[in-house]
């Protein structure tokens, strides 16, 4: 029976924290899954929604924009509705909009319902971090986030595999309908097991800060998405950068003058908190950058089907899922010195795994992919629990909501920036290698003569008596481009590794890894207040 005072079946049970963790893990599986499951359905949506490949990308972009922007308001809305009511409402909105996405008759309706879906997911994510933080004592949070981290690494991996299976065997609309049963379970668990929180002080909403920072984030994501597609020198992309920059400066001005800013920038005066945010940012670049580069490589050069390319992500997720709960428990019992060693070891392995991907070829063996994946999974298993728990542990109790908001945005924005930067590096390196390799091929060179002889023999066998010069040039151009692309991918993986290496000096410069006292300082629940 539900306790009317607490609003929970388990009330003040010592096991409540684990019920709260289970509720969050089930609920947040959905918005994390949706970051990747929709991608595989885009080609199928083109015909059904009567659109083209350029416009259909807004199904992804609109979701990312709305998700990042609405996250900023989560802590203030909490003061109005309370954690339990807001989490229930956002879960209901996510499930309802998923159902409507599956029924969308055209692109306009799909984009509108995807924005609604992002609003639900964007509120759920920081609320989930806050629920876990407040249910567990500071020294236990790393253990809790160790279990929760399984969702963060497993859901994006399952997305393309589940999406591919549903599309191949049923219909692309089922990638949205599959959210409904899980969402209903999440809603029921939340209703019966999550506690009501105490009444909090409602402060004026910072409309200027929310609109200016939200606009800055939205146009930043548009610039990153469209820049990768149209080129970074495109006029529209420049205009997006300009709007993002101007909006951010407006936000900075308002933040220092608002009584209750949407994000209190004074939190960044704590170097250790700022350092953890940077480490989360670098982790997001490596995580989502690898998820972007590796499937593209094996599908393009190793002829892996989409389903098999998605399955390649599983070894890393399994290893990370095994180690994260153990490392979370260990991190809550060891000294700051040992925590520093854990983070250093994790980022070293993260760097090493990306470097190991820098030697892939057209005839890459299974073990050449498996071993770096296992190392990558081990690195995430070491660092994820600490990186997830430290942002909330390093701040005062009144800033827990702000830390959760910033952490959620770091994952979203860091992932988008990682894909954009590494995609741009790959394009430039491929073009550079193509020019270099092409310059080494002359008609009198030994390699060219041997290739011409081989092609001539092949064409004679097919009944053609000669091979004209244009065909030779076309064949050579294709061969050179393939090798240039492989070299470009290899070097891009090395750059991805450097992003991991950048975390090492940051870790050594940190002074504190232990929780800050959070027994006092009543929290108003508003971001930064």
């Amino acid at each position: 029976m539900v306790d009317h005072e607490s609003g929970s079946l388990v009330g003040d049970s010592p096991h409540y924290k684990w019920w709260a963790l289970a509720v969050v893990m089930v609920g947040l599986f959905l918005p994390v899954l949706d970051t990747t499951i929709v991608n595989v359905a885009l080609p199928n949506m083109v015909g059904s929604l009567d659109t083209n490949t350029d416009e259909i990308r807004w199904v992804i972009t609109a979701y990312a924009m709305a998700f990042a922007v609405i996250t900023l308001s989560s802590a203030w809305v909490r003061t109005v509705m309370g954690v339990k009511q807001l989490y229930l409402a956002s879960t209901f909105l996510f499930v309802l909009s998923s159902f409507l996405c599956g029924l969308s008759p055209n692109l306009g309706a799909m984009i509108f319902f995807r924005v609604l879906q992002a609003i639900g997911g964007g509120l759920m994510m920081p609320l989930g971090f806050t629920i876990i933080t407040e249910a567990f004592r500071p020294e236990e949070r790393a253990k809790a986030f160790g279990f929760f981290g399984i969702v963060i690494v497993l859901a994006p991996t399952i997305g393309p595999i589940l999406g591919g299976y549903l599309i191949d065997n049923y219909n692309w609309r089922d990638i949205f309908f599959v959210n409904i049963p899980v969402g209903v379970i999440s809603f029921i668990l939340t209703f019966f097991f999550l506690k009501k929180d105490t009444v909090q002080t409602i402060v004026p909403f910072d409309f200027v800060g929310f609109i200016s920072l939200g606009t800055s984030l939205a146009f930043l994501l548009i610039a990153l998405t469209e820049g990768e597609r149209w080129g970074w020198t495109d006029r529209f992309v420049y205009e997006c950068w300009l709007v993002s920059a101007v909006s951010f400066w407006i936000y900075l001005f308002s933040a220092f003058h608002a009584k209750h800013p949407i994000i209190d920038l004074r939190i960044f005066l704590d170097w250790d908190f700022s350092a953890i945010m940077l480490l989360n940012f670098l982790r997001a670049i490596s995580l989502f950058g690898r998820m972007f580069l590796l499937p593209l490589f094996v599908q393009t050069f190793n002829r892996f089907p989409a389903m098999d390319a998605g399955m390649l992500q599983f070894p890393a997720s399994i290893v990370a899922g095994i180690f994260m709960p153990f490392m979370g428990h260990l991190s809550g019992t060891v000294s700051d010195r040992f925590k520093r060693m854990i983070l250093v070891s994790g980022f070293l392995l993260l760097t090493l795994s990306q470097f190991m991907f820098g030697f892939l070829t057209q005839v890459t063996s299974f073990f050449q992919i498996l071993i770096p994946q296992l190392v990558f999974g081990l690195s995430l298993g070491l660092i994820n629990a600490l990186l997830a728990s430290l942002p909330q542990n390093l701040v005062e109790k009144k800033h827990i909501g702000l830390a959760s908001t910033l952490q959620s945005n770091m994952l979203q924005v860091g992932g988008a920036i990682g894909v954009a930067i590494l995609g741009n590096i790959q394009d430039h390196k491929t073009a550079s290698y193509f020019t270099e390799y092409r310059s080494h091929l002359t008609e009198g060179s030994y390699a060219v003569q041997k290739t011409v002889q081989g092609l001539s023999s092949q064409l004679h066998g097919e009944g053609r008596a000669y091979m004209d010069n244009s065909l030779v040039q076309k064949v050579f151009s294709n061969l050179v481009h393939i090798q240039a692309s492989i070299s470009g991918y290899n070097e891009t993986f090395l750059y991805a590794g450097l992003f991991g290496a950048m975390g090492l000096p940051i870790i050594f410069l940190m002074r504190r890894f232990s929780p800050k006292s959070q027994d006092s300082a009543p929290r108003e629940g508003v971001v930064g207040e």
Side-chain angles (χ1 to χ4, degrees), residues 65-133:
M65 287 168 49
F67 193 102
V69 172
I70 199 64
T71 299
L72 301 173
S73 67
S74 61
W76 184 86
V77 180
R78 170 198 174 160
T79 65
V80 178
M81 299 181 62
V83 168
K84 181 172 182 175
Q85 297 302 319
L86 181 56
Y87 197 77
L88 283 170
S90 56
T91 302
F92 176 79
L93 179 61
F94 188 91
V95 174
L96 175 62
S97 55
S98 295
F99 175 72
L100 295 174
C101 283
L103 298 178
S104 297
N106 53 55
L107 180 63
M110 172 63 78
I111 292 174
F112 176 74
F113 294 137
R114 281 285 284 173
V115 169
L116 291 182
Q117 191 184 40
I119 292 173
L123 291 172
M124 290 171 68
M125 185 65 72
L127 280 174
F129 288 137
T130 302
I131 290 168
I132 295 173
T133 300

Side-chain angles (χ1 to χ4, degrees), residues 235-297:
R235 180 177 177 179
F236 175 70
V237 176
Y238 275 133
E239 291 171 348
C240 289
W241 289 123
L242 180 62
V243 173
S244 179
V246 171
S247 299
F248 185 72
W249 280 108
I250 293 173
Y251 160 71
L252 287 178
F253 179 81
S254 68
F256 287 111
H257 291 80
K259 186 177 180 181
H260 302 285
I262 195 75
I263 289 182
D264 189 346
L265 296 177
R266 289 173 297 181
I267 194 173
F268 291 106
L269 295 176
D270 184 334
W271 158 248
D272 295 312
F273 175 81
S274 299
I276 283 296
M277 286 292 103
L278 285 173
L279 292 176
N280 271 290
F281 181 75
L282 293 172
R283 176 189 60 163
I285 291 177
S286 288
L287 175 62
F288 289 98
R290 178 195 65 102
M291 292 177 64
F292 164 71
L293 290 173
L294 186 59
L296 277 180
F297 183 92

Side-chain angles (χ1 to χ4, degrees), residues 358-400:
F359 300 95
L360 300 177
T361 67
Q362 271 189 289
V363 289
T364 299
S365 69
F366 173 74
F367 289 100
Q368 278 182 283
I369 297 176
L370 176 63
I371 294 176
Q373 285 286 75
L374 295 178
V375 175
F376 186 84
L378 179 58
S379 72
L380 294 183
L382 290 175
I383 65 178
N384 270 5
L386 273 174
L387 291 184
S389 61
L390 280 176
Q392 288 82 8
N393 279 353
L394 293 177
V395 299
E396 298 174 5
K397 190 173 183 179
K398 64 181 181 179
H399 284 147
I400 286 177

Side-chain angles (χ1 to χ4, degrees), residues 173-350:
R173 297 180 184 274
D174 291 321
I175 67 170
F176 295 107
F177 294 145
V178 76
N179 290 333
I180 297 174
V182 181
V184 170
I185 293 172
S186 174
F187 188 92
I188 294 172
L189 290 175
T190 302
F191 183 82
F192 284 107
F193 292 103
L194 201 62
K195 284 183 180 180
K196 295 177 181 177
D197 54 337
T198 57
V199 177
Q200 299 173 22
T201 304
I202 300 176
V203 299
F205 186 64
D206 180 17
F207 283 101
V208 175
F210 175 72
I211 293 173
S212 58
L213 185 56
T215 301
S216 180
L217 280 175
F219 278 88
L220 171 64
L221 291 172
I222 293 175
L224 291 171
T225 303
E226 300 302 307
E228 183 188 353
R229 183 157 57 112
W230 296 111
W232 302 103
T233 58
D234 184 78
R235 180 177 177 179
F236 175 70
V237 176
Y238 275 133
E239 291 171 348
C240 289
W241 289 123
L242 180 62
V243 173
S244 179
V246 171
S247 299
F248 185 72
W249 280 108
I250 293 173
Y251 160 71
L252 287 178
F253 179 81
S254 68
F256 287 111
H257 291 80
K259 186 177 180 181
H260 302 285
I262 195 75
I263 289 182
D264 189 346
L265 296 177
R266 289 173 297 181
I267 194 173
F268 291 106
L269 295 176
D270 184 334
W271 158 248
D272 295 312
F273 175 81
S274 299
I276 283 296
M277 286 292 103
L278 285 173
L279 292 176
N280 271 290
F281 181 75
L282 293 172
R283 176 189 60 163
I285 291 177
S286 288
L287 175 62
F288 289 98
R290 178 195 65 102
M291 292 177 64
F292 164 71
L293 290 173
L294 186 59
L296 277 180
F297 183 92
V298 297
Q299 284 181 269
T300 304
F301 301 109
N302 301 132
R303 300 289 186 255
F304 276 44
M307 183 75 73
D308 292 347
M311 291 293 290
L312 284 177
Q313 313 289 345
F314 251 120
S317 299
I318 292 172
V319 172
I322 292 172
F323 275 88
M324 277 189 294
F326 170 73
M327 294 306 302
H329 174 73
L330 182 65
S331 299
T333 61
V334 297
S335 65
D336 279 11
R337 182 180 179 182
F338 200 86
K339 290 176 183 176
R340 191 191 308 274
M341 291 174 58
I342 292 174
L343 288 177
V344 168
S345 301
F347 272 86
L348 279 173
L349 290 174
L350 179 63

